[in-house]
Every structure is written in C-alpha cells, then in structure tokens.
Amino acid sequence: MSTETVRCDIDERGIAHLTIDRPKALNALNSDVLDGLDAGIRDLAARDEVRGVFVRGAGDKAFVAGADIGQMRELDPAGAEAFARRGLAILEQLERLPAPVVAVVDGYCLGGGCELALACDWIVATDQAVFGQPEVGLGIIPGFGGTQRLPRRIGPAAALDLITTGRQVDAHEAQRLGLAQHVVTADSLEQTLSGIAKAWLRNAPGAIRAAKEAIYTGADLPQDRALRLEASLFAGGFAGDEQAEGMAAFLEKRKPGYAG
Ligand code: CAA
C-alpha cells in the first residue's frame, strides 16, 4: 500500500520497507505524509507475513527533518492539538506493530523525525546522521511524543539537555546517549540491514512477537505483574509448533524451519 509520499514495499520473505518519499522537503511530515504513514502502517498491521520493518527516508540528506513547518505555521491551538493527536496516533500504531521495527537514519533526523525514529523499536544510524529536537527554536515543544519517549529512551536529564537547548548531535553522540543502537558507515548500511533481516528470518516469528509484546506491555506495569506477564507469554510459546521445532532442531543438530 503506497501513496505519492510514502512507499510501503514487502519482499517475498516478509521484510517490509516503509519509506517517506518527499526528499525535496527533506521528508518533512505534512498531512499527505501522515496519511501515507497511516495507510502503510495499517497495511503492515493487517499482514501476518510481515517478519520485520525498516522505516527510512528517501534521498541522501535526511531521514525526516521534522513536521512540516509551512503547514504548522497556519495552525490555531485546536488545529495544533488535532495535528499532534494525529501524529501521536500514527506513531502509536507503528510502535504497536507486532513485528520488530527499525528506524534507518541517514542524514537529518530532527523534531518529528526524531520522534518517528523513537516510535521504532531501535535505531540504526549512519555516521552522517544528525539528531535533534529543535522545536523550542520555533517557539513550540515537541508534539509527536518527544517529551515522553525521549526521556524514557535516554533518561530525563539527557532528554532535557537535547529538548531545551535544541542542539544537534552526531551519530556517535546519539549512540553514547543510547538514542542510536548501531552506527555504521553509509557504505556498510545495506549489509547491516541485511544481517538484521536474516536474523529475524532465522528465528521463530511468534517468539519474536511475544518478546516484543512482553517488553512493551511489561514496561507499563509494576514489575511483579510484568514478570507474571512474561511467565504467561513464555508458557504460551509451549502451546505452538515453534518450541517443538526449535528444541528438536537443537537436539538433532540441524537448523530449525519455522513457518513464516
Ligand atoms: N518543514 C518544512 N520544510 C522543510 C523542513 C521542515 N521541517 N525541513 C526542511 N524543509 C525544506 C526547506 O524549507 C527546503 O525547502 P525549499 O528548497 O523549498 O526552500 C528544503 O527542505 C531543503 O532544506 P534546507 O534548504 O533548509 O536544507 P539545509 O541543508 O540548508 O538545512 C536543515 C537542513 C538543517 C535540516 C534545515 O532544513 C532545518 O533546520 N529544517 C527544519 C528542522 C526543524 O526545525 N525541525 C523541527 C520541526 S518542528 C516539529 O517537528 C514539531 C513536532 O515535534 C511535531
């Protein structure tokens, strides 16, 4: 399901690429892009065959340089609230996709772009990536979850540093802060993504989904309830074919074959 500004391609292995394709505006998130993201993410959510998702920005300059400033300029408070709620709802759907989702950041990843990357499960950045939440320089605060997901990812002090100064950080500093998980050269990016995709495909898809569910659902629960949730999802794994196949394959010294 692709639109003019968002491409959603799923290969025959179930690896999806969700690409924001508005490079002339550094992939800024205008209402067309938000509509395209909404449609693409709904499509991915409805497909059981999806084993993993890479979110990317088209062109060689930006992942996403933020929400569209030209469109936001026209908003009154009610319009701004509706715009923020729309962005938040779309990013929540992305975060809730059952398969793992990686943000592939090459170039500018600012404002709403950084918030989009934070709604992905983790970030692979090239050494040309630049991260930041520059909203206070525009007289606003982050509106697509930055004040909430950034401190949860890197801690409140580091998030306050980035959000109140609006400063940009390079990929290596983003990695030190825990914002980017992998930093690679632009030349080795595709090889890194291929390695991640192969790992997703090698492992049991139901177990991967259950692990993701345990992590996100457990994060909102007190630890005792979260641990019981893990036990119940662990037990659920013994009801299907994956555990039988995985353990038999280990004991028979062969590779497991999981139904995709
Ligand atoms: N919105 C709309 N258009 C944008 C944009 C944005 N966020 N970012 C870049 N563009 C457009 C520019 O206007 C320019 O368009 P024209 O060619 O038509 O003039 C084109 O993309 C290329 O950008 P630049 O010429 O500015 O490129 P540069 O290399 O000189 O600078 C940049 C790159 C530092 C990223 C600069 O474009 C920039 O500062 N962009 C804005 C970043 C920003 O403030 N983002 C936060 C937005 S607020 C937000 O996201 C709120 C929220 O939380 C939801």
Side-chain angles (χ1 to χ4, degrees):
M1 165 89 226
S2 295
T3 64
E4 225 167 80
T5 52
V6 177
R7 285 184 276 122
C8 184
D9 309 299
I10 307 171
D11 72 19
E12 65 293 342
R13 304 168 305 165
I15 301 300
H17 295 266
L18 188 63
T19 307
I20 294 131
D21 192 3
R22 200 187 167 215
K24 282 190 181 148
L26 305 188
N27 302 316
L29 305 172
N30 65 6
S31 49
D32 286 347
V33 174
L34 291 180
D35 288 347
L37 280 173
D38 189 14
I41 294 164
R42 279 175 198 275
D43 189 32
L44 294 174
R47 290 174 183 267
D48 275 347
E49 74 268 27
V50 174
R51 303 282 296 270
V53 181
F54 294 114
V55 179
R56 318 182 66 148
D60 55 7
K61 261 190 93 174
F63 172 69
V64 169
D68 190 289
I69 298 168
Q71 273 194 349
M72 280 187 298
R73 184 186 178 181
E74 307 301 326
L75 298 174
D76 62 10
E81 178 144 8
F83 180 69
R85 284 179 183 267
R86 173 134 177 81
L88 289 174
I90 292 167
L91 297 194
E92 237 176 305
Q93 282 183 68
L94 179 65
E95 193 173 60
R96 287 188 188 158
L97 282 178
V101 180
V102 165
V104 181
V105 177
D106 186 20
Y108 290 111
C109 180
L110 302 174
C114 193
E115 294 167 301
L116 171 65
L118 283 164
C120 299
D121 298 328
W122 79 90
I123 296 174
V124 173
T126 72
D127 50 14
Q128 295 159 16
V130 175
F131 294 84
Q133 296 285 167
E135 287 87 347
V136 291
L138 294 166
I140 58 171
I141 69 167
F144 286 174
T147 64
Q148 303 307 312
R149 287 198 180 90
L150 189 62
R152 283 170 170 79
R153 182 77 59 95
I154 68 175
L160 276 155
D161 167 4
L162 294 190
I163 289 174
T164 65
T165 66
R167 73 188 178 91
Q168 297 182 354
V169 297
D170 66 17
H172 296 290
E173 184 170 358
Q175 188 176 34
R176 276 196 299 279
L177 289 170
L179 178 54
Q181 279 60 52
H182 301 282
V183 177
V184 299
T185 61
D187 287 346
S188 60
L189 178 61
E190 295 310 321
Q191 198 186 344
T192 301
L193 301 186
S194 161
I196 293 170
K198 280 184 187 150
W200 284 336
L201 295 167
R202 195 166 54 234
N203 290 299
I208 290 175
R209 288 168 183 233
K212 179 167 171 176
E213 186 187 340
I215 290 168
Y216 279 104
T217 309
D220 293 331
L221 296 173
Q223 184 164 300
D224 57 339
R225 284 182 57 201
L227 290 171
R228 283 199 294 279
L229 168 74
E230 183 192 78
S232 131
L233 288 163
F234 176 79
F238 287 70
D241 299 336
E242 289 183 353
Q243 168 265 340
E245 169 60 11
M247 294 189 181
F250 175 80
L251 295 170
E252 292 160 18
K253 302 192 186 307
R254 62 173 173 82
K255 286 187 179 161
Y258 296 114

